[in-house]
Amino acid sequence: VVTTHSLSECFVAMDDARLYCNVHWVVGESGCGKTTAATHYAQTHPNVFYILCSEDMRKSDFVRGIASAMGLSYDGLSVRETLALVTRTMVTLENPLLIIDEGDKPLDNVFHYYINLYNLLEDKCGFVFLSTPYIKRRISSGLRIGKKGYKEIDSRIGRKFFDLEPTTARDVEM
């Protein structure tokens, strides 16, 4: 892992979210190093949990993915019970951070779980979402047509995105 400009910017967002329980949505083009930065950060900082989302992810996959990243056993638990276990455990940790990669991929029912998690962990956990610039269009469109949950998500991220600068030739060279 080399310290590219994108990696440094991602670390700034992650440090801020972890230390001050903030929420950031980091946006950068594919291949700019968001995932590398996220996985490296999670490996080198305590109480940082990395979750990779996908288009076919269900709410149960999302919540169990968080529990699994935290090393929690959720055998025999419902989604609601697993979420309760995750939040009960999260509030006992020092400076916890959830990094949610490909945050723009899940369908709206999982997207709404972001709000639920935030509400349960507000001021107790930081959040960093990572995605391509597509999320800007998705949220803008959701806001324009008054889609459920989009105002809340926009509010949670401070109505702004943390835009990464494009990858430079120097970054590639490194």
mmCIF file of all heavy atoms in Angstrom, residues 61-104:
data_model
loop_
_atom_site.group_PDB
_atom_site.id
_atom_site.type_symbol
_atom_site.label_atom_id
_atom_site.label_comp_id
_atom_site.label_asym_id
_atom_site.label_seq_id
_atom_site.Cartn_x
_atom_site.Cartn_y
_atom_site.Cartn_z
ATOM 1 N N ASP A 61 -28.492 -9.641 4.999
ATOM 2 C CA ASP A 61 -27.085 -9.731 4.588
ATOM 3 C C ASP A 61 -26.291 -8.551 5.148
ATOM 4 O O ASP A 61 -25.164 -8.719 5.620
ATOM 5 C CB ASP A 61 -26.953 -9.716 3.061
ATOM 6 C CG ASP A 61 -27.657 -10.876 2.385
ATOM 7 O OD1 ASP A 61 -27.674 -11.975 2.955
ATOM 8 O OD2 ASP A 61 -28.191 -10.656 1.278
ATOM 9 N N PHE A 62 -26.876 -7.372 5.080
ATOM 10 C CA PHE A 62 -26.212 -6.163 5.535
ATOM 11 C C PHE A 62 -25.939 -6.219 7.040
ATOM 12 O O PHE A 62 -24.807 -6.027 7.489
ATOM 13 C CB PHE A 62 -27.062 -4.936 5.184
ATOM 14 C CG PHE A 62 -26.475 -3.633 5.630
ATOM 15 C CD1 PHE A 62 -25.290 -3.165 5.106
ATOM 16 C CD2 PHE A 62 -27.136 -2.856 6.577
ATOM 17 C CE1 PHE A 62 -24.752 -1.951 5.513
ATOM 18 C CE2 PHE A 62 -26.606 -1.643 6.989
ATOM 19 C CZ PHE A 62 -25.421 -1.194 6.467
ATOM 20 N N VAL A 63 -26.966 -6.520 7.814
ATOM 21 C CA VAL A 63 -26.825 -6.549 9.278
ATOM 22 C C VAL A 63 -25.901 -7.682 9.709
ATOM 23 O O VAL A 63 -25.033 -7.501 10.571
ATOM 24 C CB VAL A 63 -28.213 -6.661 9.947
ATOM 25 C CG1 VAL A 63 -28.084 -6.858 11.443
ATOM 26 C CG2 VAL A 63 -29.043 -5.420 9.640
ATOM 27 N N ARG A 64 -26.046 -8.826 9.088
ATOM 28 C CA ARG A 64 -25.170 -9.955 9.441
ATOM 29 C C ARG A 64 -23.733 -9.699 8.977
ATOM 30 O O ARG A 64 -22.788 -10.169 9.602
ATOM 31 C CB ARG A 64 -25.738 -11.241 8.881
ATOM 32 C CG ARG A 64 -26.997 -11.637 9.644
ATOM 33 C CD ARG A 64 -27.617 -12.912 9.169
ATOM 34 N NE ARG A 64 -28.747 -13.219 10.027
ATOM 35 C CZ ARG A 64 -29.944 -13.582 9.598
ATOM 36 N NH1 ARG A 64 -30.157 -13.723 8.298
ATOM 37 N NH2 ARG A 64 -30.917 -13.823 10.447
ATOM 38 N N GLY A 65 -23.573 -8.958 7.903
ATOM 39 C CA GLY A 65 -22.234 -8.590 7.452
ATOM 40 C C GLY A 65 -21.530 -7.720 8.480
ATOM 41 O O GLY A 65 -20.330 -7.885 8.733
ATOM 42 N N ILE A 66 -22.273 -6.814 9.091
ATOM 43 C CA ILE A 66 -21.693 -5.975 10.143
ATOM 44 C C ILE A 66 -21.335 -6.830 11.353
ATOM 45 O O ILE A 66 -20.231 -6.727 11.896
ATOM 46 C CB ILE A 66 -22.652 -4.835 10.544
ATOM 47 C CG1 ILE A 66 -22.884 -3.892 9.370
ATOM 48 C CG2 ILE A 66 -22.106 -4.073 11.753
ATOM 49 C CD1 ILE A 66 -24.006 -2.899 9.586
ATOM 50 N N ALA A 67 -22.270 -7.697 11.765
ATOM 51 C CA ALA A 67 -22.016 -8.579 12.918
ATOM 52 C C ALA A 67 -20.791 -9.444 12.660
ATOM 53 O O ALA A 67 -19.933 -9.603 13.537
ATOM 54 C CB ALA A 67 -23.243 -9.442 13.202
ATOM 55 N N SER A 68 -20.685 -9.977 11.473
ATOM 56 C CA SER A 68 -19.548 -10.817 11.117
ATOM 57 C C SER A 68 -18.240 -10.026 11.153
ATOM 58 O O SER A 68 -17.233 -10.499 11.690
ATOM 59 C CB SER A 68 -19.773 -11.425 9.730
ATOM 60 O OG SER A 68 -18.718 -12.255 9.379
ATOM 61 N N ALA A 69 -18.252 -8.815 10.608
ATOM 62 C CA ALA A 69 -17.058 -7.968 10.627
ATOM 63 C C ALA A 69 -16.626 -7.659 12.056
ATOM 64 O O ALA A 69 -15.438 -7.514 12.345
ATOM 65 C CB ALA A 69 -17.315 -6.670 9.857
ATOM 66 N N MET A 70 -17.597 -7.601 12.957
ATOM 67 C CA MET A 70 -17.318 -7.318 14.364
ATOM 68 C C MET A 70 -16.926 -8.580 15.135
ATOM 69 O O MET A 70 -16.578 -8.489 16.316
ATOM 70 C CB MET A 70 -18.535 -6.669 15.018
ATOM 71 C CG MET A 70 -18.866 -5.301 14.478
ATOM 72 S SD MET A 70 -20.392 -4.627 15.193
ATOM 73 C CE MET A 70 -19.840 -4.308 16.874
ATOM 74 N N GLY A 71 -17.036 -9.739 14.472
ATOM 75 C CA GLY A 71 -16.704 -10.997 15.141
ATOM 76 C C GLY A 71 -17.809 -11.495 16.054
ATOM 77 O O GLY A 71 -17.565 -12.304 16.956
ATOM 78 N N LEU A 72 -19.041 -11.044 15.823
ATOM 79 C CA LEU A 72 -20.171 -11.435 16.661
ATOM 80 C C LEU A 72 -20.883 -12.652 16.083
ATOM 81 O O LEU A 72 -21.052 -12.748 14.869
ATOM 82 C CB LEU A 72 -21.173 -10.280 16.781
ATOM 83 C CG LEU A 72 -20.627 -8.969 17.349
ATOM 84 C CD1 LEU A 72 -21.680 -7.876 17.262
ATOM 85 C CD2 LEU A 72 -20.157 -9.165 18.780
ATOM 86 N N SER A 73 -21.332 -13.534 16.942
ATOM 87 C CA SER A 73 -22.100 -14.697 16.509
ATOM 88 C C SER A 73 -23.583 -14.330 16.489
ATOM 89 O O SER A 73 -24.128 -13.847 17.480
ATOM 90 C CB SER A 73 -21.879 -15.866 17.475
ATOM 91 O OG SER A 73 -22.712 -16.937 17.111
ATOM 92 N N TYR A 74 -24.219 -14.559 15.360
ATOM 93 C CA TYR A 74 -25.635 -14.220 15.218
ATOM 94 C C TYR A 74 -26.482 -15.463 14.922
ATOM 95 O O TYR A 74 -27.643 -15.347 14.521
ATOM 96 C CB TYR A 74 -25.824 -13.157 14.134
ATOM 97 C CG TYR A 74 -25.154 -13.518 12.825
ATOM 98 C CD1 TYR A 74 -25.794 -14.335 11.910
ATOM 99 C CD2 TYR A 74 -23.879 -13.040 12.522
ATOM 100 C CE1 TYR A 74 -25.172 -14.672 10.718
ATOM 101 C CE2 TYR A 74 -23.273 -13.374 11.335
ATOM 102 C CZ TYR A 74 -23.917 -14.187 10.439
ATOM 103 O OH TYR A 74 -23.308 -14.524 9.259
ATOM 104 N N ASP A 75 -25.907 -16.651 15.134
ATOM 105 C CA ASP A 75 -26.643 -17.894 14.888
ATOM 106 C C ASP A 75 -27.942 -17.912 15.681
ATOM 107 O O ASP A 75 -27.950 -17.652 16.881
ATOM 108 C CB ASP A 75 -25.800 -19.108 15.282
ATOM 109 C CG ASP A 75 -24.613 -19.315 14.366
ATOM 110 O OD1 ASP A 75 -24.635 -18.770 13.243
ATOM 111 O OD2 ASP A 75 -23.664 -20.012 14.775
ATOM 112 N N GLY A 76 -29.027 -18.195 14.989
ATOM 113 C CA GLY A 76 -30.334 -18.300 15.625
ATOM 114 C C GLY A 76 -31.014 -16.974 15.910
ATOM 115 O O GLY A 76 -32.121 -16.954 16.440
ATOM 116 N N LEU A 77 -30.372 -15.865 15.558
ATOM 117 C CA LEU A 77 -30.961 -14.554 15.816
ATOM 118 C C LEU A 77 -31.683 -14.032 14.580
ATOM 119 O O LEU A 77 -31.245 -14.251 13.458
ATOM 120 C CB LEU A 77 -29.884 -13.543 16.218
ATOM 121 C CG LEU A 77 -29.084 -13.815 17.490
ATOM 122 C CD1 LEU A 77 -28.052 -12.708 17.699
ATOM 123 C CD2 LEU A 77 -29.994 -13.940 18.695
ATOM 124 N N SER A 78 -32.766 -13.315 14.803
ATOM 125 C CA SER A 78 -33.464 -12.649 13.701
ATOM 126 C C SER A 78 -32.638 -11.435 13.282
ATOM 127 O O SER A 78 -31.669 -11.054 13.953
ATOM 128 C CB SER A 78 -34.851 -12.188 14.168
ATOM 129 O OG SER A 78 -34.720 -11.142 15.113
ATOM 130 N N VAL A 79 -33.032 -10.796 12.194
ATOM 131 C CA VAL A 79 -32.346 -9.596 11.727
ATOM 132 C C VAL A 79 -32.424 -8.518 12.802
ATOM 133 O O VAL A 79 -31.432 -7.861 13.117
ATOM 134 C CB VAL A 79 -32.945 -9.077 10.395
ATOM 135 C CG1 VAL A 79 -32.315 -7.760 9.985
ATOM 136 C CG2 VAL A 79 -32.779 -10.109 9.299
ATOM 137 N N ARG A 80 -33.594 -8.351 13.376
ATOM 138 C CA ARG A 80 -33.799 -7.342 14.416
ATOM 139 C C ARG A 80 -32.922 -7.622 15.637
ATOM 140 O O ARG A 80 -32.301 -6.724 16.202
ATOM 141 C CB ARG A 80 -35.268 -7.304 14.813
ATOM 142 C CG ARG A 80 -35.622 -6.158 15.738
ATOM 143 C CD ARG A 80 -37.084 -6.160 16.074
ATOM 144 N NE ARG A 80 -37.981 -5.156 15.635
ATOM 145 C CZ ARG A 80 -37.756 -3.997 15.050
ATOM 146 N NH1 ARG A 80 -36.559 -3.669 14.722
ATOM 147 N NH2 ARG A 80 -38.691 -3.153 14.754
ATOM 148 N N GLU A 81 -32.859 -8.884 16.040
ATOM 149 C CA GLU A 81 -32.025 -9.268 17.185
ATOM 150 C C GLU A 81 -30.535 -9.073 16.873
ATOM 151 O O GLU A 81 -29.768 -8.651 17.737
ATOM 152 C CB GLU A 81 -32.302 -10.721 17.586
ATOM 153 C CG GLU A 81 -33.688 -10.940 18.162
ATOM 154 C CD GLU A 81 -34.069 -12.412 18.257
ATOM 155 O OE1 GLU A 81 -33.561 -13.226 17.450
ATOM 156 O OE2 GLU A 81 -34.892 -12.745 19.137
ATOM 157 N N THR A 82 -30.150 -9.377 15.651
ATOM 158 C CA THR A 82 -28.754 -9.182 15.244
ATOM 159 C C THR A 82 -28.409 -7.699 15.254
ATOM 160 O O THR A 82 -27.335 -7.308 15.725
ATOM 161 C CB THR A 82 -28.492 -9.801 13.855
ATOM 162 O OG1 THR A 82 -28.860 -11.179 13.889
ATOM 163 C CG2 THR A 82 -27.034 -9.672 13.453
ATOM 164 N N LEU A 83 -29.314 -6.872 14.754
ATOM 165 C CA LEU A 83 -29.098 -5.421 14.776
ATOM 166 C C LEU A 83 -28.963 -4.925 16.212
ATOM 167 O O LEU A 83 -28.091 -4.098 16.516
ATOM 168 C CB LEU A 83 -30.244 -4.702 14.059
ATOM 169 C CG LEU A 83 -30.126 -3.178 13.973
ATOM 170 C CD1 LEU A 83 -28.891 -2.768 13.192
ATOM 171 C CD2 LEU A 83 -31.374 -2.586 13.342
ATOM 172 N N ALA A 84 -29.781 -5.434 17.112
ATOM 173 C CA ALA A 84 -29.699 -5.048 18.526
ATOM 174 C C ALA A 84 -28.352 -5.466 19.118
ATOM 175 O O ALA A 84 -27.726 -4.703 19.869
ATOM 176 C CB ALA A 84 -30.850 -5.656 19.315
ATOM 177 N N LEU A 85 -27.894 -6.666 18.775
ATOM 178 C CA LEU A 85 -26.589 -7.140 19.248
ATOM 179 C C LEU A 85 -25.467 -6.238 18.737
ATOM 180 O O LEU A 85 -24.573 -5.848 19.486
ATOM 181 C CB LEU A 85 -26.364 -8.592 18.805
ATOM 182 C CG LEU A 85 -24.980 -9.190 19.088
ATOM 183 C CD1 LEU A 85 -24.725 -9.262 20.595
ATOM 184 C CD2 LEU A 85 -24.866 -10.570 18.448
ATOM 185 N N VAL A 86 -25.528 -5.902 17.457
ATOM 186 C CA VAL A 86 -24.517 -5.023 16.850
ATOM 187 C C VAL A 86 -24.490 -3.675 17.566
ATOM 188 O O VAL A 86 -23.425 -3.194 17.958
ATOM 189 C CB VAL A 86 -24.785 -4.832 15.338
ATOM 190 C CG1 VAL A 86 -24.030 -3.635 14.779
ATOM 191 C CG2 VAL A 86 -24.431 -6.093 14.564
ATOM 192 N N THR A 87 -25.652 -3.069 17.758
ATOM 193 C CA THR A 87 -25.681 -1.734 18.362
ATOM 194 C C THR A 87 -25.295 -1.775 19.840
ATOM 195 O O THR A 87 -24.567 -0.891 20.305
ATOM 196 C CB THR A 87 -27.052 -1.051 18.170
ATOM 197 O OG1 THR A 87 -28.086 -1.875 18.702
ATOM 198 C CG2 THR A 87 -27.317 -0.778 16.704
ATOM 199 N N ARG A 88 -25.745 -2.797 20.561
ATOM 200 C CA ARG A 88 -25.346 -2.933 21.977
ATOM 201 C C ARG A 88 -23.835 -3.059 22.111
ATOM 202 O O ARG A 88 -23.221 -2.485 23.004
ATOM 203 C CB ARG A 88 -25.998 -4.173 22.608
ATOM 204 C CG ARG A 88 -27.324 -3.952 23.252
ATOM 205 C CD ARG A 88 -27.731 -5.116 24.156
ATOM 206 N NE ARG A 88 -27.376 -6.439 23.680
ATOM 207 C CZ ARG A 88 -28.147 -7.223 22.914
ATOM 208 N NH1 ARG A 88 -29.329 -6.791 22.513
ATOM 209 N NH2 ARG A 88 -27.732 -8.420 22.557
ATOM 210 N N THR A 89 -23.237 -3.821 21.210
ATOM 211 C CA THR A 89 -21.789 -4.026 21.251
ATOM 212 C C THR A 89 -21.049 -2.771 20.804
ATOM 213 O O THR A 89 -20.061 -2.362 21.418
ATOM 214 C CB THR A 89 -21.392 -5.217 20.358
ATOM 215 O OG1 THR A 89 -22.129 -6.366 20.778
ATOM 216 C CG2 THR A 89 -19.898 -5.493 20.440
ATOM 217 N N MET A 90 -21.538 -2.150 19.751
ATOM 218 C CA MET A 90 -20.874 -0.974 19.188
ATOM 219 C C MET A 90 -20.742 0.139 20.219
ATOM 220 O O MET A 90 -19.699 0.793 20.297
ATOM 221 C CB MET A 90 -21.652 -0.477 17.961
ATOM 222 C CG MET A 90 -20.911 0.485 17.088
ATOM 223 S SD MET A 90 -19.524 -0.208 16.175
ATOM 224 C CE MET A 90 -20.364 -1.131 14.915
ATOM 225 N N VAL A 91 -21.776 0.362 21.030
ATOM 226 C CA VAL A 91 -21.748 1.474 21.984
ATOM 227 C C VAL A 91 -20.759 1.244 23.126
ATOM 228 O O VAL A 91 -20.429 2.177 23.853
ATOM 229 C CB VAL A 91 -23.148 1.811 22.546
ATOM 230 C CG1 VAL A 91 -24.083 2.231 21.424
ATOM 231 C CG2 VAL A 91 -23.723 0.672 23.349
ATOM 232 N N THR A 92 -20.261 0.018 23.265
ATOM 233 C CA THR A 92 -19.278 -0.266 24.319
ATOM 234 C C THR A 92 -17.841 -0.046 23.841
ATOM 235 O O THR A 92 -16.921 -0.088 24.649
ATOM 236 C CB THR A 92 -19.395 -1.724 24.819
ATOM 237 O OG1 THR A 92 -18.994 -2.620 23.783
ATOM 238 C CG2 THR A 92 -20.811 -2.044 25.282
ATOM 239 N N LEU A 93 -17.664 0.173 22.541
ATOM 240 C CA LEU A 93 -16.329 0.295 21.963
ATOM 241 C C LEU A 93 -15.837 1.740 21.970
ATOM 242 O O LEU A 93 -16.631 2.680 21.920
ATOM 243 C CB LEU A 93 -16.336 -0.227 20.527
ATOM 244 C CG LEU A 93 -16.780 -1.676 20.344
ATOM 245 C CD1 LEU A 93 -16.851 -2.015 18.865
ATOM 246 C CD2 LEU A 93 -15.847 -2.619 21.084
ATOM 247 N N GLU A 94 -14.523 1.886 22.000
ATOM 248 C CA GLU A 94 -13.927 3.204 21.929
ATOM 249 C C GLU A 94 -13.697 3.590 20.467
ATOM 250 O O GLU A 94 -13.056 2.861 19.706
ATOM 251 C CB GLU A 94 -12.592 3.215 22.667
ATOM 252 C CG GLU A 94 -11.969 4.595 22.753
ATOM 253 C CD GLU A 94 -10.685 4.609 23.571
ATOM 254 O OE1 GLU A 94 -10.435 3.654 24.334
ATOM 255 O OE2 GLU A 94 -9.931 5.572 23.422
ATOM 256 N N ASN A 95 -14.259 4.720 20.070
ATOM 257 C CA ASN A 95 -14.103 5.257 18.710
ATOM 258 C C ASN A 95 -14.410 4.242 17.611
ATOM 259 O O ASN A 95 -13.593 4.043 16.703
ATOM 260 C CB ASN A 95 -12.701 5.819 18.502
ATOM 261 C CG ASN A 95 -12.393 6.981 19.409
ATOM 262 O OD1 ASN A 95 -13.250 7.808 19.684
ATOM 263 N ND2 ASN A 95 -11.173 7.046 19.882
ATOM 264 N N PRO A 96 -15.593 3.618 17.639
ATOM 265 C CA PRO A 96 -15.906 2.664 16.565
ATOM 266 C C PRO A 96 -16.208 3.384 15.249
ATOM 267 O O PRO A 96 -16.669 4.525 15.239
ATOM 268 C CB PRO A 96 -17.139 1.941 17.089
ATOM 269 C CG PRO A 96 -17.811 2.950 17.964
ATOM 270 C CD PRO A 96 -16.683 3.737 18.595
ATOM 271 N N LEU A 97 -15.919 2.684 14.158
ATOM 272 C CA LEU A 97 -16.175 3.216 12.822
ATOM 273 C C LEU A 97 -16.684 2.094 11.934
ATOM 274 O O LEU A 97 -16.100 1.018 11.890
ATOM 275 C CB LEU A 97 -14.886 3.795 12.219
ATOM 276 C CG LEU A 97 -14.953 4.271 10.764
ATOM 277 C CD1 LEU A 97 -15.898 5.460 10.621
ATOM 278 C CD2 LEU A 97 -13.559 4.628 10.254
ATOM 279 N N LEU A 98 -17.767 2.365 11.230
ATOM 280 C CA LEU A 98 -18.267 1.457 10.193
ATOM 281 C C LEU A 98 -17.908 2.050 8.845
ATOM 282 O O LEU A 98 -18.252 3.198 8.555
ATOM 283 C CB LEU A 98 -19.784 1.317 10.275
ATOM 284 C CG LEU A 98 -20.345 0.390 11.327
ATOM 285 C CD1 LEU A 98 -21.867 0.457 11.324
ATOM 286 C CD2 LEU A 98 -19.877 -1.025 11.101
ATOM 287 N N ILE A 99 -17.196 1.281 8.043
ATOM 288 C CA ILE A 99 -16.881 1.685 6.675
ATOM 289 C C ILE A 99 -17.745 0.833 5.758
ATOM 290 O O ILE A 99 -17.633 -0.394 5.758
ATOM 291 C CB ILE A 99 -15.388 1.484 6.347
ATOM 292 C CG1 ILE A 99 -14.509 2.293 7.299
ATOM 293 C CG2 ILE A 99 -15.119 1.874 4.889
ATOM 294 C CD1 ILE A 99 -13.022 2.038 7.127
ATOM 295 N N ILE A 100 -18.599 1.487 5.005
ATOM 296 C CA ILE A 100 -19.542 0.792 4.140
ATOM 297 C C ILE A 100 -19.152 1.070 2.693
ATOM 298 O O ILE A 100 -19.395 2.150 2.156
ATOM 299 C CB ILE A 100 -20.986 1.220 4.452
ATOM 300 C CG1 ILE A 100 -21.280 0.915 5.934
ATOM 301 C CG2 ILE A 100 -21.970 0.529 3.526
ATOM 302 C CD1 ILE A 100 -22.548 1.496 6.466
ATOM 303 N N ASP A 101 -18.513 0.070 2.078
ATOM 304 C CA ASP A 101 -18.001 0.192 0.712
ATOM 305 C C ASP A 101 -19.096 -0.174 -0.287
ATOM 306 O O ASP A 101 -19.941 -1.033 -0.005
ATOM 307 C CB ASP A 101 -16.793 -0.732 0.547
ATOM 308 C CG ASP A 101 -15.926 -0.380 -0.656
ATOM 309 O OD1 ASP A 101 -16.269 0.563 -1.402
ATOM 310 O OD2 ASP A 101 -14.897 -1.061 -0.835
ATOM 311 N N GLU A 102 -19.045 0.451 -1.440
ATOM 312 C CA GLU A 102 -20.066 0.256 -2.484
ATOM 313 C C GLU A 102 -21.446 0.607 -1.911
ATOM 314 O O GLU A 102 -22.440 -0.051 -2.188
ATOM 315 C CB GLU A 102 -20.055 -1.184 -3.013
ATOM 316 C CG GLU A 102 -18.727 -1.651 -3.559
ATOM 317 C CD GLU A 102 -18.433 -1.170 -4.966
ATOM 318 O OE1 GLU A 102 -19.332 -0.612 -5.622
ATOM 319 O OE2 GLU A 102 -17.282 -1.347 -5.401
ATOM 320 N N GLY A 103 -21.477 1.671 -1.109
ATOM 321 C CA GLY A 103 -22.701 2.081 -0.422
ATOM 322 C C GLY A 103 -23.842 2.473 -1.325
ATOM 323 O O GLY A 103 -24.987 2.535 -0.891
ATOM 324 N N ASP A 104 -23.552 2.739 -2.582
ATOM 325 C CA ASP A 104 -24.595 3.102 -3.536
ATOM 326 C C ASP A 104 -25.255 1.891 -4.180
ATOM 327 O O ASP A 104 -26.257 2.024 -4.865
ATOM 328 C CB ASP A 104 -24.020 3.998 -4.633
ATOM 329 C CG ASP A 104 -22.899 3.335 -5.421
ATOM 330 O OD1 ASP A 104 -22.235 2.421 -4.873
ATOM 331 O OD2 ASP A 104 -22.667 3.731 -6.574
#
